[in-house]
Amino acid sequence: MREGYVLLNLNQDQQPFLSNRKSLWRTWNQLSRLQRSLITGSLMLLSLLCVIYFWRSSEDVYVPSLKMTPISERIGLAEFPLKFKQLEPKVDSEVEKPVVEEPQQRAGGEGRILSVGGDVEQVVVAPDVPPNKPILPPLPPVPPHANVTENEIKVTERQQAVVQAFKHAWTGYVRFAWGHDHLKPISQRHHDWFKLGLSIVDSLDTMNLMGLNQELAAAREWIANGLNLNTYNDVNLFEVTIRVLGGLLSAYHLSADRIYLEKAIDLGERLLPCFTRSPSPIPYSDVNLASHNAHSPRWGPDSSTSEVTTLQLEFRDLSRASNQPKFEEAASRVSLHVHTLPKTDGLVPVFINPRTGQFQSYADIKLGARGDSYYEYLVKQWIQTGKTIDYLRDDYLEAVDGMKKHLTRRTPNSKLLFVGELKGGSRDFVPKMDHLACYLPGTLALGYHHGLPKSHMELAEELIYTCYRTYAERPTFLAPEITYFNLQKDGRSDMYVKTHDAHNLLRPEFIESLWYLYQITGNKTYQDWGWTIFQAFEKYTKVEWGYTSIGNVNNPKETKPRDMMESFFLSETLKYLFLLFSDNRKLVDISKYVINSEGHPMPVYSS
């Protein structure tokens, strides 16, 4: 009789369990000692990995909630109309997500895009700081230019329409993307790039200027308790500097609220390795905020010229606000180094290598992507430092002369003046103009306002008209990402758009330039141009839960919505429209404030 027959007398329900257990035990005993040791070690390692995983997960999870706190009066800004009392950070408080109302359906429905269904992914955000975070030393008082303007704000009807547009966009963001970088308004989801709540940080000063006190209080609470900078993800030095660092600094200057400065200092420390770990004065383009590992981008060894030269306003302001010179010193070395490099009549290639510190000679020369804000920050740094650093002004003046010589052309029919590109290597002229290059009229006008040649203003006025035509000649009255110009007298239109360049990303550059020229000249034609474009945004990009970029500006009946609302739409496009439509041209006075590349105002210093 086999030994297994003794199980016949047991309860029937227990037989399979006991049989299986005995079979497993027999199999285990038949294994060699080495095999049993390997299995035991593997199980222990797996258990350890599970513990680490769940520990890390619990450390990273923070369910945001937002306690709605009314704003009463702000300390130290008596002359600024939007007053609120400083709110002390609540380290242990739970933050409740703000309640939003259902948006009203648009009348008529023309151009309206119905949002499609989709589950909303739960938002999880890492805690702000570990429990043992060191206490920062006392910070200096708010800088002397805390008020944006000394004049009373009177909101016009056009401004009020922009405020309603912001609130519509914000409602969708709060409901479907709170704590995340961007809203996907059609699918009602979120999009993360750096996991830093870009839309919140980017919008702080916009809400301040618009007087949206309830929304600003909710955002401030998230900054205090939900913005986690100690995350193990790589970020782009340039994008995080202009959006997050710039947003925090401008919020600090407009409010005197120290929580913004404390966060800015923490972020600045985490970005510094891009400078300090590079073998040349040119910083690496990417850094891990938690490990501080700085490196070149995944696609190659170079950094974009515009990116490494568009950090100086923010890092200088951080040093001045915190009394820590290291930030300004690191970023200023970049500008000084680039000043010493050979150029083409002041013009620079769009790639530079952080290991060698040299430009890539094969790279294009252009005023669009990867080259644009190098020129912008030359003149803005000069203004920011009280016009005391001569080489910045001189490099800018040389570059403007180089633009006129190498990059400007006129179309044969309408005589439109535009800026093109020089192809890398051959330096052949390409009649192609990015929408990004429409920042240039505003920058030229800003320099003229601060005493640079009148010819700069004349160039600005011609270029801004060309930028306007890139909108006006599209059936949607929205400009494409890239416009090509016809230089042949062959009966064709002066401008044409290629299919893959016909998208509109809700960009701000043209509106930005309109505002600069309006503030300087008072010409209300610029306001009217801006209003027409705002109406086009309303007609073709407004959806049920926000605003979306579109893929085709050439066909009003098939705009091809892209389901993305970038943070710069809130930070720049709507802000510049709000400022443009004000009867008070100096609502943000460009004699007292310099505006960074993401639309964030910072004070002008005397030296």
Side-chain angles (χ1 to χ4, degrees):
M1 179 180 293
R2 289 184 295 178
E3 185 179 17
Y5 285 166
V6 298
L7 295 175
L8 292 174
N9 295 327
L10 296 176
N11 185 288
Q12 187 173 2
D13 293 338
Q14 295 176 335
Q15 289 180 20
F17 169 74
L18 293 174
S19 177
N20 290 338
R21 184 175 63 178
K22 190 167 185 178
S23 176
L24 288 173
W25 181 250
R26 183 185 300 114
T27 301
W28 174 260
N29 287 330
Q30 289 174 349
L31 296 176
S32 67
R33 179 176 298 178
L34 176 60
Q35 289 173 320
R36 283 182 285 181
S37 298
L38 288 174
I39 294 174
T40 303
S42 299
L43 290 174
M44 292 178 64
L45 179 59
L46 180 62
S47 301
L48 179 61
L49 290 174
C50 289
V51 171
I52 294 174
Y53 173 78
F54 285 108
W55 176 75
R56 288 288 304 276
S57 298
S58 63
E59 184 183 49
D60 288 343
V61 172
Y62 176 91
V63 180
S65 56
L66 217 47
K67 183 178 180 181
M68 301 302 294
T69 307
I71 298 176
S72 54
E73 183 174 311
R74 181 169 56 201
I75 297 176
L77 293 176
E79 295 177 334
F80 190 71
L82 311 178
K83 304 175 182 179
F84 64 87
K85 184 177 180 181
Q86 289 191 132
L87 303 175
E88 293 300 325
K90 300 178 181 179
V91 177
D92 297 322
S93 66
E94 288 191 1
V95 188
E96 212 174 89
K97 184 174 179 179
V99 177
V100 299
E101 299 178 356
E102 298 281 341
Q104 295 181 353
Q105 184 173 357
R106 294 169 58 199
E110 184 178 1
R112 181 172 181 266
I113 305 168
L114 295 177
S115 61
V116 298
D119 296 333
V120 181
E121 183 178 343
Q122 292 297 318
V123 178
V124 290
V125 182
D128 178 36
V129 291
N132 59 347
K133 176 190 175 185
I135 299 176
L136 289 171
L139 298 172
V142 63
H145 293 65
N147 62 305
V148 176
T149 177
E150 298 177 358
N151 301 317
E152 182 181 357
I153 294 178
K154 180 181 178 181
V155 178
T156 66
E157 290 185 8
R158 288 179 173 181
Q159 282 183 295
Q160 187 57 42
V162 176
V163 172
Q164 292 305 313
F166 181 94
K167 293 175 73 173
H168 176 76
W170 190 250
T171 296
Y173 173 77
V174 169
R175 177 157 184 165
F176 299 112
W178 183 253
H180 293 279
D181 290 337
H182 298 127
L183 168 68
K184 296 173 71 67
I186 298 176
S187 60
Q188 301 167 14
R189 293 178 179 273
H190 63 260
H191 168 266
D192 273 324
W193 190 7
F194 305 128
K195 301 180 180 179
L196 294 174
L198 293 183
S199 290
I200 296 177
V201 189
D202 242 354
S203 301
L204 293 169
D205 50 16
T206 303
M207 291 185 283
N208 194 316
L209 290 168
M210 291 182 176
L212 299 176
N213 294 339
Q214 186 178 34
E215 292 84 351
L216 183 59
R220 191 268 183 202
E221 285 292 319
W222 185 86
I223 297 295
N225 301 314
L227 176 58
N228 177 28
L229 298 173
N230 192 39
T231 57
Y232 282 89
N233 59 289
D234 289 351
V235 302
N236 178 266
L237 169 65
F238 161 73
E239 294 288 357
V240 169
T241 295
I242 64 171
R243 299 187 193 219
V244 183
L245 184 58
L248 292 170
L249 288 170
S250 64
Y252 168 63
H253 290 306
L254 297 184
S255 69
D257 190 334
R258 291 161 60 91
I259 188 62
Y260 298 126
L261 183 56
E262 290 175 1
K263 290 287 187 179
I265 294 172
D266 186 9
L267 179 59
E269 295 280 1
R270 297 174 188 275
L271 296 176
L272 266 183
C274 286
F275 301 89
T276 59
R277 299 189 180 185
S278 171
S280 79
I282 301 302
Y284 285 118
S285 66
D286 294 76
V287 65
N288 187 292
L289 292 179
S291 70
H292 297 183
N293 177 39
H295 55 84
S296 295
R298 304 300 182 193
W299 47 262
D302 299 328
S303 295
S304 298
T305 300
S306 64
E307 292 187 354
V308 302
T309 55
T310 310
L311 314 164
Q312 289 69 25
L313 293 182
E314 298 83 359
F315 275 79
R316 178 177 289 110
D317 189 64
L318 180 59
S319 278
R320 306 294 177 96
S322 66
N323 286 337
Q324 298 186 46
K326 61 185 177 181
F327 303 110
E328 180 174 1
E329 290 171 356
S332 295
R333 277 197 297 269
V334 182
S335 293
L336 187 58
H337 176 75
V338 172
H339 167 66
T340 67
L341 297 178
K343 306 175 181 67
T344 302
D345 293 323
L347 305 178
V348 297
V350 296
F351 289 115
I352 191 168
N353 191 293
R355 293 194 176 276
T356 65
Q358 300 297 311
F359 289 122
Q360 295 293 14
S361 58
Y362 58 79
D364 297 344
I365 291 178
K366 57 182 180 178
L367 301 182
R370 305 190 185 280
D372 49 0
S373 46
Y374 160 69
Y375 308 99
E376 174 190 359
Y377 269 41
L378 285 176
V379 67
K380 287 185 175 180
Q381 284 190 78
W382 176 65
I383 295 168
Q384 182 190 36
T385 54
K387 306 173 188 175
T388 58
I389 303 180
D390 291 342
Y391 83 83
L392 294 168
R393 176 202 60 204
D394 296 343
D395 285 358
Y396 176 72
L397 290 172
E398 183 184 11
V400 174
D401 289 340
M403 295 174 196
K404 294 178 182 179
K405 179 179 178 181
H406 297 287
L407 300 181
T408 58
R409 298 286 192 279
R410 287 189 185 276
T411 59
N413 299 319
S414 303
K415 307 301 180 184
L416 294 175
L417 184 73
F418 69 96
V419 290
E421 303 176 358
L422 296 182
K423 198 66 179 174
S426 66
R427 293 295 180 249
D428 292 335
F429 182 80
V430 181
K432 165 181 173 286
M433 185 172 173
D434 291 1
H435 183 276
L436 286 168
C438 285
Y439 84 93
L440 184 59
T443 298
L444 290 166
L446 174 66
Y448 165 74
H449 175 74
H450 283 274
L452 297 185
K454 184 179 179 180
S455 61
H456 289 201
M457 188 62 177
E458 294 169 349
L459 180 59
E461 290 173 333
E462 287 209 71
L463 288 176
I464 202 167
Y465 178 70
T466 301
C467 288
Y468 173 71
R469 296 307 307 174
T470 65
Y471 282 81
E473 295 197 10
R474 298 301 104 203
T476 56
F477 222 98
L478 291 174
E481 182 72 0
I482 297 173
T483 298
Y484 283 83
F485 293 82
N486 177 28
L487 296 180
Q488 306 299 321
K489 291 185 178 181
D490 53 10
R492 293 184 300 168
S493 173
D494 282 348
M495 294 188 291
Y496 62 97
V497 179
K498 297 181 179 181
T499 302
H500 58 271
D501 299 325
H503 49 285
N504 182 290
L505 304 182
L506 310 175
R507 286 199 186 276
E509 286 77 20
F510 177 58
I511 307 298
E512 172 187 357
S513 286
L514 287 177
W515 172 66
Y516 276 109
L517 269 76
Y518 168 64
Q519 176 163 158
I520 293 166
T521 68
N523 187 342
K524 293 188 177 182
T525 297
Y526 299 127
Q527 288 183 312
D528 294 337
W529 288 357
W531 179 247
T532 304
I533 292 167
F534 173 70
Q535 290 177 309
F537 279 134
E538 288 288 294
K539 185 173 183 179
Y540 295 110
T541 71
K542 187 175 185 178
V543 295
E544 187 175 6
W545 291 104
Y547 293 80
T548 179
S549 55
I550 59 176
N552 184 13
V553 299
N554 292 322
N555 189 342
K557 295 182 179 179
E558 191 179 355
T559 57
K560 299 180 180 178
R562 289 186 152 201
D563 193 22
M564 177 62 69
M565 188 177 77
E566 294 264 6
S567 69
F568 57 65
F569 179 68
L570 305 172
S571 171
E572 298 184 80
T573 307
L574 293 181
K575 179 190 295 163
Y576 284 127
L577 283 167
F578 181 81
L579 295 175
L580 174 65
F581 297 149
S582 176
D583 288 339
N584 176 10
R585 286 155 45 199
K586 296 185 178 181
L587 185 55
V588 174
D589 190 345
I590 58 176
S591 295
K592 297 179 179 180
Y593 276 77
V594 63
I595 317 299
N596 88 333
S597 191
E598 189 73 6
H600 299 305
M602 288 171 280
V604 170
Y605 294 90
S606 59
S607 63

